[in-house]
Amino acid sequence: MLHHADIERLGNDPRTAAMETMYPAMYGVTEGALFDFFEQGMLTANGAVHRRRRSPFSKSFAVRTMADLRPQIRRSSEELIESWYADGQVEFAGQFAAQLPARVTGDLLGLPRADIPSFTKLVYGVTRFLSGSITPDAIREAEAACQQLRDYVEKTLEDRRRTPREDFLSDFLAKVDAAGELSPLEIIFQLVQLIVGGTDTTRVAIVVQLALLLRHREQWDAVCRDPSLIPGAVAEAIRFEPSVASFARVTTEEIEVGGAVVPAGQLFSFSTMSGLRDEEAYERPDVFNIRRTDQPRLLPAFGAGAHRCIGEALARIELEESLAALTARIPHLQLDQTPEIKGHGGIRRVDTMRLSWQP
Ligand code: HEM
């Protein structure tokens, strides 16, 4: 079993590296937009290339900067709830959880609201390629979605260069253009990775968090009565059922992990799930407890080392504000259909989740 401490140690071990283009190569993808996603982005890059691609975002995604987005994210959550509240029922995964991260990313990039549905479709189209065991037809569809997303981001960048605004994207562009360290294709694909990295991960986490709380009704009721429990509830839901079950690395030398030897040049996954249920790190790890006092500062669900999630502060705010809006508006929420959480590698899958209430 991979322990909590192993994840932090291996994520920082110089004998492990990001996979660059190894994953698309496994599926015979050696050119095109999906290939560029891996070749040009920060997630899959190493060393100085990775630092150069990540650093323009580090400040903008810091906890303090992201906190400014809180009121807007709360408003978006409330608007989504109001769009179906009077119906007394909703399919929550599609009508809330899939919408909020796409809206938040869209707002960050200053996209017109009217573009969000088609933008969301493209993002989920690309995500399919990352979920593994994918058919040749699905690869073709993911490639088409990735090309369209790349073109859309490129056009958005051109518009913003012509007409800068007071927003995140204009700031980012001014900074990278002045530094001149990223190629035009790199600029596009950092944004594409940010969009893709921040969408399905957060959609799944929003669904799972609500399902866990409603299945532990006394803890849901406690959050409804006392919103100061919200950050603890968010952290515990991420720990108990993380939306990202593992992250991948390649060994550059032979290494030993938990008594097993991994040869050099091997693509392998760190399970965040086993570390998050580690008895050495958590008291009674199999108990869902939003009042837990042993949450570590660095929750391994967001990775470890140089590639640790750049969107963690934003993700936590989305999870917190959506929970605050739901508990305030629909404390009498009923879980009619528990979503099945599927998968033990990469981004996990949830399909539908039906809720009802008396409006
Ligand atoms: C609950 C939600 C989220 C979870 C569980 C999550 C998880 C992770 C994990 C495990 C990694 C490390 C991957 C690796 O080392 O290979 C990662 C990296 C990353 N995440 Fe997230 N993430 C979430 C939300 C977000 C959001 C909201 C954004 C942006 C808007 C984002 C953008 C990224 C990016 C760009 C990287 C690559 C960072 C780098 O390579 O330096 N993520 N995320």
Side-chain angles (χ1 to χ4, degrees):
M1 167 184 164
L2 200 61
H3 287 281
H4 197 280
D6 292 332
I7 297 175
E8 196 54 35
R9 184 173 56 78
L10 287 168
N12 285 290
D13 190 321
R15 295 168 302 170
T16 67
M19 60 181 162
E20 299 181 348
T21 55
M22 202 166 174
Y23 180 80
M26 274 162 41
Y27 287 96
V29 175
T30 52
E31 59 180 4
L34 279 178
F35 179 77
D36 288 344
F37 180 92
F38 288 83
E39 198 188 44
Q40 302 289 332
M42 69 175 100
L43 175 68
T44 36
N46 284 300
V49 176
H50 171 253
R51 284 192 291 279
R52 183 166 58 73
R53 291 176 180 171
R54 179 171 168 131
S55 68
F57 294 94
S58 303
K59 262 215 191 94
S60 332
F61 273 82
V63 177
R64 226 169 324 130
T65 330
M66 283 293 123
D68 294 344
L69 300 177
R70 217 176 249 285
Q72 196 180 340
I73 295 175
R74 176 63 172 270
R75 252 192 326 276
S76 283
S77 303
E78 289 167 351
E79 280 168 19
L80 286 170
I81 295 171
E82 288 317 314
S83 71
W84 35 253
Y85 180 80
D87 301 339
Q89 55 161 317
V90 72
E91 193 290 286
F92 182 78
Q95 296 306 308
F96 186 95
Q99 313 278 331
L100 186 70
R103 256 191 192 223
V104 169
T105 324
D107 286 349
L108 206 61
L109 303 181
L111 307 181
R113 274 282 151 84
D115 287 4
I116 299 294
S118 55
F119 166 78
T120 309
K121 225 170 127 195
L122 296 181
V123 176
Y124 287 114
V126 178
T127 308
R128 283 204 59 199
F129 184 65
L130 309 179
S131 57
S133 48
I134 181 166
T135 62
D137 276 351
I139 293 178
R140 271 190 291 279
E141 283 168 27
E143 171 64 25
C146 197
Q147 276 176 27
Q148 287 177 52
L149 189 60
R150 178 199 60 198
D151 295 348
Y152 181 80
V153 169
E154 190 172 16
K155 189 181 161 301
T156 305
L157 291 173
E158 281 166 10
D159 290 350
R160 203 54 49 80
R161 277 202 178 92
R162 257 196 312 272
T163 327
R165 302 182 197 162
E166 291 274 302
D167 67 359
F168 164 83
L169 192 57
S170 307
D171 275 7
F172 166 73
L173 273 179
K175 234 184 285 163
V176 290
D177 286 349
E181 288 185 343
L182 297 185
S183 74
L185 201 59
E186 280 181 313
I187 296 178
I188 294 170
F189 275 97
Q190 298 334 296
L191 291 166
V192 172
Q193 278 204 348
L194 210 63
I195 293 165
V196 172
T199 307
D200 206 29
T201 49
T202 314
R203 176 187 76 90
V204 174
I206 292 172
V207 171
V208 168
Q209 157 178 291
L210 185 60
L212 283 171
L213 284 165
L214 290 173
R215 272 177 31 219
H216 296 84
R217 189 79 205 189
E218 69 299 343
Q219 300 194 52
W220 166 263
D221 291 340
V223 176
C224 293
R225 283 193 306 271
D226 178 4
S228 73
L229 293 171
I230 288 174
V234 167
E236 179 63 349
I238 295 171
R239 182 197 72 83
F240 199 75
E241 290 286 10
S243 58
V244 178
S246 69
F247 55 98
R249 287 291 181 274
V250 183
T251 46
T252 55
E253 286 173 42
E254 178 182 289
I255 54 172
E256 202 193 307
V257 187
V261 174
V262 186
Q266 178 77 41
L267 185 64
F268 75 113
S269 278
F270 301 172
S271 167
T272 55
M273 290 180 75
S274 75
L276 291 163
R277 297 287 186 103
D278 182 358
E279 282 180 352
E280 286 175 10
Y282 300 100
E283 204 186 320
R284 301 173 70 210
D286 294 330
V287 174
F288 178 75
N289 175 13
I290 63 171
R291 295 185 176 83
R292 187 173 279 288
T293 54
D294 52 6
Q295 294 285 9
R297 194 176 63 79
L298 297 175
L299 204 56
F302 289 103
H307 291 274
R308 191 177 166 80
C309 182
I310 202 166
E312 175 176 354
L314 179 60
R316 284 184 191 255
I317 293 174
E318 289 182 57
L319 289 159
E320 288 172 12
E321 291 307 317
S322 57
L323 186 54
L326 287 160
T327 46
R329 184 66 167 128
I330 340 179
H332 47 302
L333 204 50
Q334 293 299 326
L335 180 61
D336 293 342
Q337 179 225 343
T338 305
E340 200 186 331
I341 310 169
K342 295 181 201 142
H344 297 90
I347 304 177
R348 299 172 79 195
R349 297 182 303 283
V350 288
D351 33 39
T352 53
M353 173 179 183
R354 299 218 66 90
L355 304 172
S356 64
W357 59 94
Q358 280 295 330

